[in-house]
Amino acid sequence: MKKFRIFIIFLISIIPTNTLRKLSYNFLFNYNIDSDSQIGWFTFINCSKFECINTEIKSFNLISVNFFEIFNSEIGFMNKFKDINVININTSKINSKNRFIGEKKISKDNNFFLKKNSFIKDSNYFDVTDSIEIKEDCSIFSHIQIWTHGFTEKRLIKKKNVIINKGCTINNACLISMGVQIGENSVIEIGSTVTKSVSNDGFYFHKLQKK
């Protein structure tokens, strides 16, 4: 049955017109994709519940999560959303080639929230083993990694959520470790590795020491 479902979703994804793709998803899988939304060609959607309102999801995306809801937003090309419990995106933009990856063997209560007027640029990796919340008016640039799990000295898995609060800017090539909270209106400079929380209105940069 699972293989048959995947086969049907594949066939829907290659239907040549947006209108027929939406109608097929809504009719066969009880998704809620409204008339103002667009679902790109070869975008594969496999969810228990899927709600898409006034949103454009471009081609070559993979969405395989439990519950996906998106409102007044835009998703670019070649993004991957996999093995996450709940994804909620509201009035925001995600560009292309981003990865949002959960781990069902570790946690089934892992969520991703992207609040209003935020954007995520290209080629970022989001480890959604635990939850990640990006609040309003945030700018997430490119080649960033956000991790929510790691290992103890005895190689036991540990996990903790990450919160990026309102008005933050995360510049290119940063790495944010599990359990970190970035305070409101903070700036994380290019190439920084953040292992501790940052206070409101903070400015964080990682300075390499010369030997």
Side-chain angles (χ1 to χ4, degrees):
M1 187 67 181
K2 183 179 179 180
K3 290 182 179 179
F4 180 72
R5 175 186 172 95
I6 290 172
F7 178 68
I8 295 300
I9 291 171
F10 170 75
L11 292 179
I12 293 172
S13 75
I14 61 175
I15 291 173
T17 66
N18 172 59
T19 300
L20 287 176
R21 280 193 295 272
K22 292 192 299 182
L23 287 173
S24 300
Y25 273 130
N26 287 344
F27 179 74
L28 293 174
F29 296 105
N30 201 31
Y31 294 168
N32 179 22
I33 306 171
D34 77 338
S35 59
D36 295 321
S37 293
Q38 297 183 45
I39 304 296
W41 187 75
F42 214 77
T43 283
F44 186 97
I45 304 172
N46 183 20
C47 301
S48 299
K49 185 177 179 181
F50 183 84
E51 186 170 8
C52 179
I53 307 299
N54 191 33
T55 289
E56 180 180 6
I57 300 176
K58 295 184 178 178
S59 300
F60 303 108
N61 288 287
L62 169 65
I63 301 173
S64 181
V65 303
N66 183 34
F67 180 21
F68 191 100
E69 53 183 359
I70 184 167
F71 307 98
N72 308 310
S73 297
E74 180 181 335
I75 293 178
F77 300 95
M78 300 176 67
N79 296 284
K80 183 176 183 180
F81 305 84
K82 192 172 188 300
D83 293 339
I84 298 169
N85 181 37
V86 175
I87 291 181
N88 178 285
I89 300 166
N90 190 358
T91 320
S92 291
K93 182 176 181 179
I94 296 173
N95 275 14
S96 301
K97 298 181 180 179
N98 295 287
R99 299 289 180 266
F100 303 80
I101 308 297
E103 180 49 75
K104 290 191 291 187
K105 293 180 181 179
I106 299 175
S107 175
K108 294 184 179 179
D109 189 24
N110 54 335
N111 307 314
F112 178 83
F113 301 104
L114 183 62
K115 301 293 182 67
K116 289 183 177 180
N117 303 319
S118 292
F119 75 81
I120 295 172
K121 292 206 78 173
D122 305 308
S123 303
N124 299 295
Y125 184 84
F126 298 85
D127 163 39
V128 197
T129 302
D130 207 313
S131 296
I132 296 174
E133 182 175 4
I134 301 172
K135 297 191 177 181
E136 296 86 352
D137 305 311
C138 287
S139 303
I140 311 296
F141 286 89
S142 299
H143 304 288
I144 292 162
Q145 296 182 34
I146 298 178
W147 291 87
T148 62
H149 88 284
F151 297 89
T152 67
E153 293 178 354
K154 295 182 178 180
R155 302 302 295 168
L156 299 174
I157 293 172
K158 56 182 181 178
K159 62 185 181 70
K160 200 169 183 181
N161 67 327
V162 169
I163 299 174
I164 299 175
N165 283 293
K166 182 177 179 181
C168 289
T169 298
I170 313 296
N171 285 300
N172 293 336
C174 291
L175 187 149
I176 298 174
S177 295
M178 65 174 196
V180 165
Q181 294 193 29
I182 309 294
E184 290 186 3
N185 304 311
S186 293
V187 176
I188 310 301
E189 264 302 344
I190 293 173
S192 296
T193 298
V194 186
T195 59
K196 296 181 180 179
S197 294
V198 177
S199 60
N200 290 351
D201 303 302
F203 180 86
Y204 185 96
F205 69 100
H206 180 71
K207 184 177 180 181
L208 294 174
Q209 299 293 329
K210 293 183 179 179
K211 291 184 178 181

